[in-house]
Amino acid sequence: MGDNQEKNVDNSRRTWLIATSVVGGVGGVATLVPFVSSMEPSERAKAGGAPVEADISGLKPGDKMTVSWRGLPVWIVRRTPDEMASLSADTSQLADPDSKHPFNYPMPSYCENPYRARVEHKDLLVVIGICTHLGCIPSGPFEADIVPALGNFPGFFCPCHGSTYDMSGRVFKNKPAPKNLDVPRYMYLSDTHLVIGKDEKGEA
Ligand code: FES
């Protein structure tokens, strides 16, 4: 794939690939040095985990795209109104509804809300898509009443041992996974671009 980054956009009903070139090195964007290659993710960026920029202009309600950051799949999900409504409907079945016990990355303070998202685009979920049980990649998002293990909640399902997460990546009670999906630091560069691994305080 070279330095081009392929982003996988899918939802529970349809899957397609958008092969697009993402200018991943934020440093390259900021400095605008005169070498085109410097505007693409460098080997150092890939290995060291430099921030990665994502173009979300094509992301429609119900869509999910995956961006690689530090070798981890980071999901960006544009939630539907129904999925948003599900987040505050009933939190009694969640193990850690307020995300007080993060997994590997501290919860960014600006995401300490039921949406686990920045308020300027609270419909957009940004989480690390790795199950906190043994590291499988969950499937989804699924609408309500499609996956029996999720019942009438929309969310994500880990096929390895059955853990389920709501549409904010919060794990349900009595599942093998002990923690919610991690939220990385991120910030918006515009309404159509965000950067993962960096916020107003600097790089993660
Ligand atoms: S790895 Fe996901 S439930 Fe075990």
Side-chain angles (χ1 to χ4, degrees):
M1 224 165 17
D3 283 336
N4 289 341
Q5 187 168 12
E6 186 178 74
K7 299 185 295 184
N8 186 8
V9 179
D10 66 78
N11 66 15
S12 59
R13 294 178 301 278
R14 54 208 162 105
T15 300
W16 70 97
L17 294 176
I18 295 178
T20 182
S21 177
V22 175
V23 179
V26 171
V29 173
T31 53
L32 293 175
V33 294
F35 299 104
V36 172
S37 61
S38 70
M39 297 180 69
E40 300 173 343
S42 68
E43 291 306 314
R44 185 197 67 79
K46 290 179 181 176
V52 175
E53 186 178 330
D55 178 355
I56 56 172
S57 59
L59 207 61
K60 299 183 292 298
D63 284 352
K64 177 182 79 177
M65 61 184 285
T66 303
V67 176
S68 178
W69 172 65
R70 295 185 172 175
L72 303 171
V74 176
W75 296 342
I76 305 172
V77 182
R78 191 180 293 281
R79 294 170 285 197
T80 66
D82 283 349
E83 291 168 346
M84 293 294 282
S86 75
L87 299 176
S88 50
D90 178 10
T91 60
S92 65
Q93 298 184 49
L94 300 172
D96 181 15
D98 298 322
S99 298
K100 298 297 185 189
H101 307 287
F103 186 45
N104 284 328
Y105 290 91
M107 184 73 179
S109 58
Y110 43 78
C111 291
E112 291 177 347
N113 55 61
Y115 313 106
R116 303 179 86 218
R118 300 192 72 123
V119 293
E120 59 265 43
H121 292 287
K122 64 183 181 183
D123 59 324
L124 278 168
L125 173 69
V126 179
V127 289
I128 296 174
I130 293 184
C131 183
T132 62
H133 181 217
L134 293 177
C136 290
I137 296 179
S139 303
F142 295 101
E143 296 174 352
D145 301 314
I146 290 181
V147 177
L150 281 162
N152 59 355
F153 286 93
F156 304 92
F157 172 71
C158 183
C160 289
H161 312 96
S163 292
T164 49
Y165 300 86
D166 78 348
M167 285 304 303
S168 280
R170 298 176 295 185
V171 69
F172 283 93
K173 286 179 179 174
N174 304 315
K175 302 294 180 179
K179 302 286 181 68
N180 297 338
L181 301 182
D182 273 333
V183 176
R185 288 161 67 172
Y186 69 98
M187 62 187 290
Y188 288 94
L189 304 175
S190 68
D191 281 347
T192 58
H193 287 76
L194 60 81
V195 61
I196 296 159
K198 181 181 178 181
D199 59 17
E200 294 83 352
K201 295 180 179 177
E203 295 187 11

